[in-house]
């Protein structure tokens, strides 16, 4: 998990909403039976979710993205890499 609310420019309400969304996404990923999903970094800033890390299969990447969307992510930057080979 990556904390995102250190910037004083963000409003408290926006920061709280970002933290709640981040917590929901991280919780879902941490409960996955796919170990690689538990290691992904999730950053939320002003409602924009950035997902980073590495997975072994494209399917795992799709599952991670679906978890983000299911938890309320409206915008997503997909920086998840699928292992070659």
């Amino acid at each position: 998990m990556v904390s995102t609310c250190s910037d004083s420019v963000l409003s408290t309400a926006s920061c709280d909403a970002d933290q709640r969304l981040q917590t929901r996404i991280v919780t879902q990923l941490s409960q996955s039976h796919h170990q690689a999903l538990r290691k992904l970094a999730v950053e939320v800033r002003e409602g924009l979710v950035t997902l980073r890390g590495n997975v072994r299969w494209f399917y795992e990447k799709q599952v991670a993205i679906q978890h983000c969307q299911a938890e309320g992510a409206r915008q997503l930057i997909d920086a998840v890499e699928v292992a070659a080979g």
Side-chain angles (χ1 to χ4, degrees):
M1 176 160 49
V2 177
S3 181
T4 59
C5 288
S6 60
D7 189 347
S8 62
V9 175
L10 295 176
S11 72
T12 302
S14 174
C15 186
D16 289 346
D18 286 350
Q19 287 180 338
R20 285 192 304 272
L21 177 57
Q22 182 180 27
T23 299
R24 289 194 314 265
I25 293 169
V26 168
T27 299
Q28 286 298 314
L29 294 175
S30 70
Q31 293 174 356
S32 173
H33 66 278
H34 296 280
Q35 191 173 26
L37 300 188
R38 295 183 222 148
K39 297 178 182 179
L40 295 177
V42 179
E43 181 180 339
V44 182
R45 184 172 179 94
E46 297 182 23
L48 175 64
V49 176
T50 302
L51 195 58
R52 288 183 184 14
N54 298 294
V55 295
R56 295 187 311 177
W57 301 293
F58 185 74
Y59 172 75
E60 289 177 322
K61 180 176 180 166
Q62 289 177 306
V63 170
I65 291 169
Q66 289 172 347
H67 281 306
C68 292
Q69 293 169 335
E71 291 305 323
R74 293 187 199 128
Q75 294 181 321
L76 175 71
I77 296 175
D78 172 13
V80 175
E81 297 288 328
V82 179

